Amino acid sequence: PFKTFFDSTVFIDNRAKNGRSTRTFISEKLWQAVSDKLERGDYVFIQFGHNDEAKEKTERYTSPDEYKKNLRKFITDTRKKDAKPVLLSPVTRRRFDDQGNICETHAEYSPLVRVVAAETNTPFIDLDKKSRELLQKFGVSHSKDLFLQLAPGEHPNYPDGKDDNTHFNELGARLVAQIVLAEIRALRLDLADRIVNKDNLKTP
């Protein structure tokens, strides 16, 4: 959804890869491919955590200390190319308590991103917090409308249905993108000057 909010001078190269942690993103040379292509003035939006914190999946799990180390590597490598890193905490999962209050789902790893951002003087977007606020506004029931929540037979790609509280549908992705764009403006990044339709950056 980001590309619809920027003018024609901005090219978006999405290198995110499903199921990767900071550790596997490095070991599989995915980060090297990003670093090799960076040019002066590029922005690199760095967000990990969902897969790093998955202790039950040892092939991708990354300890907190290694997680911070890897984030620092991304920042250092980006700056070596005179590019501009931006750190984001992991976007929340959809989980409410019995009273209808949104729950923290990255309580250990999100604060680590803030720590690294402060230590390295890197712009930081607390997307975990902002996305929790968004889901709280939608509430327990209506927040389902932002995720891949599908009944059997509703979508040809998911004939058996889908009950996914992690991955967004198109609407959810667009609203989260709008949060990030609003934060880019709040941080006064140069990139904010390239945003069009600024009046539309208001989430429900």
Side-chain angles (χ1 to χ4, degrees):
F2 283 107
K3 64 183 179 181
T4 63
F5 286 94
F6 287 106
D7 65 28
S8 60
T9 67
V10 176
F11 173 74
I12 296 174
D13 187 357
N14 182 8
R15 296 298 186 94
K17 192 79 169 180
N18 185 51
R20 269 58 176 187
S21 63
T22 56
R23 178 169 62 83
T24 56
F25 202 78
I26 293 170
S27 66
E28 294 178 17
K29 307 296 184 183
L30 297 170
W31 171 248
Q32 189 64 51
V34 173
S35 181
D36 288 345
K37 193 177 179 182
L38 286 178
E39 297 181 0
R40 181 183 180 88
D42 286 347
Y43 278 86
V44 184
F45 286 81
I46 304 164
Q47 183 199 60
F48 289 87
H50 286 80
N51 298 299
D52 293 84
E53 65 189 6
K55 291 183 179 180
E56 71 281 3
K57 298 180 179 179
T58 57
E59 74 280 1
R60 64 179 68 164
Y61 172 70
T62 310
S63 70
D65 285 343
E66 188 178 6
Y67 179 66
K68 290 191 294 182
K69 177 183 175 182
N70 293 340
L71 292 178
R72 293 189 191 102
K73 173 180 172 58
F74 298 150
I75 293 166
T76 299
D77 290 353
T78 298
R79 287 176 171 159
K80 284 180 180 177
K81 294 294 188 74
D82 290 325
K84 304 173 183 181
V86 179
L87 285 178
L88 299 88
S89 56
V91 67
T92 192
R93 292 184 171 93
R94 179 182 168 275
R95 186 180 302 163
F96 291 83
D97 64 20
D98 293 339
Q99 285 72 48
N101 299 311
I102 192 70
C103 300
E104 282 194 59
T105 56
H106 306 292
E108 182 175 11
Y109 279 67
S110 280
L112 301 179
V113 188
R114 182 185 293 277
V115 168
V116 173
E119 291 174 347
T120 59
N121 194 29
T122 301
F124 170 65
I125 296 174
D126 193 350
L127 193 55
D128 188 359
K129 178 176 181 290
K130 293 290 183 178
S131 58
R132 288 202 311 273
E133 292 173 354
L134 174 67
L135 297 195
Q136 188 67 69
K137 289 179 181 178
F138 272 79
V140 176
S141 179
H142 291 299
S143 60
K144 292 181 179 180
D145 296 335
L146 307 183
F147 290 83
L148 287 177
Q149 295 276 337
L150 301 168
E154 183 177 348
H155 195 287
N157 290 348
Y158 304 95
D160 298 326
K162 191 76 172 176
D163 183 17
D164 188 335
N165 292 303
T166 297
H167 299 96
F168 294 99
N169 58 23
E170 184 176 353
L171 174 61
R174 184 175 180 84
L175 292 180
V176 172
Q178 288 180 218
I179 291 173
V180 175
L181 289 158
E183 290 299 295
I184 289 172
R185 293 184 66 199
L187 288 169
R188 300 180 183 275
L189 302 182
D190 293 341
L191 189 61
D193 295 334
R194 314 290 181 89
I195 297 174
V196 294
N197 298 323
K198 295 180 176 65
D199 293 337
N200 292 332
L201 298 185
K202 296 179 180 180
T203 54

